[in-house]
Amino acid sequence: MDIAVVGTGYVGLVVGACLAETGNHVVGADIDESKIQGLREGQIPIYEPGLDLLISRNVAEKRLRFTTDIGAAVLESEVIFIAVGTPPDEDGSADLQHVLDVARVIGQSMTEGAVVITKSTVPVGTAQRVRDEIEKQTDRTFHVCSNPEFLKEGAAVDDFMRPDRVVCGIEDDQVRPVLEELYEPFVRTGNPLIFMDIASAELTKYAANAMLATRISFMNQIAELCEATGADVTVVRQGVGSDPRIGQSFLFAGAGYGGSCFPKDVRALIKTADDLAVDLSILKNVHEMNERQKGLLTAKVMARFGTDLSGRQFTIWGLSFKPETDDVREAPALTVIEELLEAGASVVAHDPQAMETARSFQLGDRIAFGEDAYSACEGSDALIVATEWLQYRRPDWDIVRDALRAPIVFDGRNLFKPSRMRAMGFAYYSIGREQVE
Ligand SMILES: NC(=O)c1ccc[n+]([C@@H]2O[C@H](COP(=O)([O-])OP(=O)(O)OC[C@H]3O[C@@H](n4cnc5c(N)ncnc54)[C@H](O)[C@@H]3O)[C@@H](O)[C@H]2O)c1
């Protein structure tokens, strides 16, 4: 098939590369000229395991190319994916400006019978707005579908290649064979292609993210109770999660959820419900709990060092919102850093992949970056672990102790055993467990 994927960000690049890998001819289109220029020169703008090889192979085999001419990409394609960003507006709702801009260009350029698929996470009713926008531009017939994406950054290629399920919201059965053909290579193991109406598909994506965010905030609240009662949240999690009705995933207490999806999708779903006078108070609590949780590490630092941190230096390990990605959008580490800077401290950070994105996205030159994890600890009052990258899980504690001014560790991801840290002479503060003073 000839396919256009409009938006070459974390989602669009993975979708485009995976569809090209299965034999389609894909053009990735984006308004960001420097990104497209870089892609044409073989530079992959994001860190996502396996993506660089996939892109370079499919570009070399001429099934994948990139353009800034969105109209031309639409004109030559039977299927057009909209995969642009839907950032939060000031009131928490999803900003649909980019989606509707693309819909306008699609209306101006598409051929008869085109299939327009929204991949971006969009509120219920957006497919109808996309249809309306296209119809303002053309009398041609076309199909609109909602096909929300469930990939996880850090495992995105694998998730797209082997999805748990593919959700397809369609207006009528006419377009069903196109989606079946598109996804047939990815659902051969029997995982379902689930067809439903468009509103349900749009809502499914938000409900899934809201459920996962709820599990995290719930467990963070249980962690608070663990600290107050002397229980240990890591063993509570094991005990709770071994019930097959509950399962182990997304039950890890920590420094709060972040990333480009959960925070904004939870807020957008709350806004949708508010607009329709539906009470989604559970989710309001989930969101508030997470905002509080993102400040927990700083609160622990201040409980130890006082609220005025002038003259103090702290090391942060991990900037990305989770391991195996360079995405720092709404990363808890950035909240901690802003709070430390606000209190007068200086910060030295290290991350295996996200130092450049953190610098250009928000931090600029306000903090220093360590060449490696250990040198980042030199002369700091304490180490703060914010992201659970594999390389931070078994550090050489002798080197860390020698580098720090005092052996003090704040762990926002519960990576180490309190008893072991005590035995090695560290003060160790983690989440929902014994605090080693
Ligand atoms: N990142 C994830 O893990 C993930 C997972 C599932 C769903 N989603 C959803 O997918 C969508 C895209 O997310 P992302 O993380 O890839 O975003 P992103 O910010 O990484 O990429 C968006 C891209 O769209 C481009 N763009 C913006 N306006 C455009 C326009 N008018 N024409 C052409 N290109 C335009 C931008 O230049 C950018 O390259 C969002 O709705 C997001 O919620 C993201």
Side-chain angles (χ1 to χ4, degrees):
M1 268 190 237
D2 290 320
I3 298 171
V5 180
V6 186
T8 57
Y10 285 84
V11 168
L13 275 179
V14 172
V15 170
C18 291
L19 289 171
E21 179 74 1
T22 48
N24 299 292
H25 286 102
V26 179
V27 53
D30 204 292
I31 44 168
D32 185 334
E33 288 182 10
S34 63
K35 190 182 270 191
I36 292 299
Q37 188 55 33
L39 281 163
R40 284 179 166 160
E41 289 163 9
Q43 294 156 16
I44 313 302
I46 56 169
Y47 172 71
E48 183 59 50
L51 185 61
D52 47 355
L53 279 178
L54 204 59
I55 291 180
S56 57
R57 182 166 59 236
N58 282 284
V59 166
E61 292 173 10
K62 300 204 177 337
R63 288 188 301 269
L64 180 61
R65 64 202 165 79
F66 298 98
T67 182
T68 51
D69 189 342
I70 296 156
V74 166
L75 178 66
E76 64 191 56
S77 302
E78 357 164 17
V79 173
I80 302 135
F81 281 95
I82 304 177
V84 295
T86 47
D89 230 332
E90 272 161 25
D91 61 1
S93 61
D95 180 351
L96 294 178
Q97 178 205 326
H98 303 307
V99 170
L100 297 177
D101 283 349
V102 175
R104 208 166 304 123
V105 179
I106 292 174
Q108 287 158 2
S109 311
M110 67 172 203
T111 53
E112 180 72 20
V115 177
V116 180
I117 303 178
T118 45
K119 215 12 140 182
S120 304
T121 302
V122 290
V124 178
T126 303
Q128 186 56 48
R129 290 181 66 185
V130 166
R131 170 167 281 292
D132 294 345
E133 204 60 46
I134 296 174
E135 279 174 351
K136 282 186 205 160
Q137 311 293 331
T138 183
D139 292 331
R140 297 201 168 100
T141 59
F142 59 97
H143 304 274
V144 170
C145 312
S146 164
N147 174 216
E149 182 50 55
F150 295 94
L151 60 77
K152 301 182 288 297
E153 284 177 26
V157 171
D158 206 46
D159 283 346
F160 194 89
M161 290 292 195
R162 278 177 281 277
D164 300 320
R165 78 308 205 183
V166 178
V167 167
C168 300
I170 51 177
E171 293 169 316
D172 56 56
D173 273 345
Q174 252 184 311
V175 76
R176 205 176 156 126
V178 177
L179 288 152
E180 282 171 343
E181 189 184 333
L182 211 53
Y183 280 107
E184 194 271 335
F186 307 107
V187 293
R188 291 173 70 85
T189 47
N191 288 345
L193 196 53
I194 308 172
F195 285 94
M196 56 180 78
D197 62 277
I198 287 189
S200 300
E202 289 172 332
L203 196 54
T204 297
K205 172 66 191 173
Y206 282 100
N209 275 357
M211 170 63 92
L212 296 172
T214 302
R215 284 170 71 101
I216 294 172
S217 275
F218 172 78
M219 223 45 205
N220 282 336
Q221 243 166 30
I222 294 294
E224 216 172 300
L225 199 55
C226 285
E227 279 187 35
T229 56
D232 180 334
V233 76
T234 54
V235 288
V236 171
R237 175 185 58 78
Q238 283 167 0
V240 170
S242 17
D243 183 332
R245 293 171 302 177
I246 297 173
Q248 297 283 1
S249 32
F250 285 85
L251 289 184
F252 287 84
Y257 60 76
S260 66
C261 294
F262 286 8
K264 90 172 164 57
D265 292 351
V266 166
R267 286 201 298 271
L269 193 54
I270 291 171
K271 180 70 172 59
T272 300
D274 278 351
D275 289 347
L276 296 166
V278 173
D279 179 13
L280 262 195
S281 47
I282 289 183
L283 272 195
K284 288 181 183 166
N285 284 324
V286 166
H287 170 64
E288 278 161 24
M289 177 64 204
N290 196 58
E291 289 301 295
R292 205 151 32 104
Q293 199 69 9
K294 288 203 282 186
L296 184 62
L297 278 176
T298 318
K300 285 179 187 281
V301 169
M302 287 182 170
R304 168 91 199 202
F305 292 100
T307 50
D308 180 4
L309 299 175
S310 320
R312 304 257 178 213
Q313 175 184 304
F314 295 95
T315 296
I316 306 274
W317 277 1
L319 293 165
S320 56
F321 81 97
K322 67 170 178 177
E324 294 300 327
T325 178
D326 63 351
D327 197 345
V328 296
R329 289 177 282 186
E330 305 226 22
L334 298 192
T335 307
V336 176
I337 290 171
E338 294 294 351
E339 287 170 345
L340 294 176
L341 293 176
E342 177 77 30
S346 58
V347 173
V348 185
H350 176 266
D351 187 287
Q353 292 292 341
M355 291 198 280
E356 195 41 53
T357 40
R359 197 197 312 260
S360 57
F361 178 73
Q362 179 167 330
L363 297 174
D365 296 328
R366 291 182 298 143
I367 70 165
F369 295 92
E371 270 188 19
D372 58 66
Y374 296 120
S375 63
C377 293
E378 282 307 328
S380 283
D381 289 280
L383 164 65
I384 301 170
V385 182
T387 315
E388 66 276 31
W389 283 91
L390 268 182
Q391 76 171 81
Y392 301 146
R393 292 184 191 208
R394 289 287 171 273
D396 185 327
W397 287 113
D398 290 337
I399 303 181
V400 174
R401 190 192 293 102
D402 288 350
L404 291 174
R405 268 191 220 163
I408 304 173
V409 176
F410 297 87
D411 178 1
R413 299 295 163 191
N414 287 349
L415 296 186
F416 317 113
K417 280 206 169 80
S419 55
R420 182 139 189 269
M421 296 303 282
R422 170 182 290 112
M424 289 187 301
F426 278 87
Y428 177 61
Y429 304 88
S430 54
I431 314 276
R433 305 190 296 171
E434 177 199 0
Q435 307 296 296
V436 178
E437 301 285 348

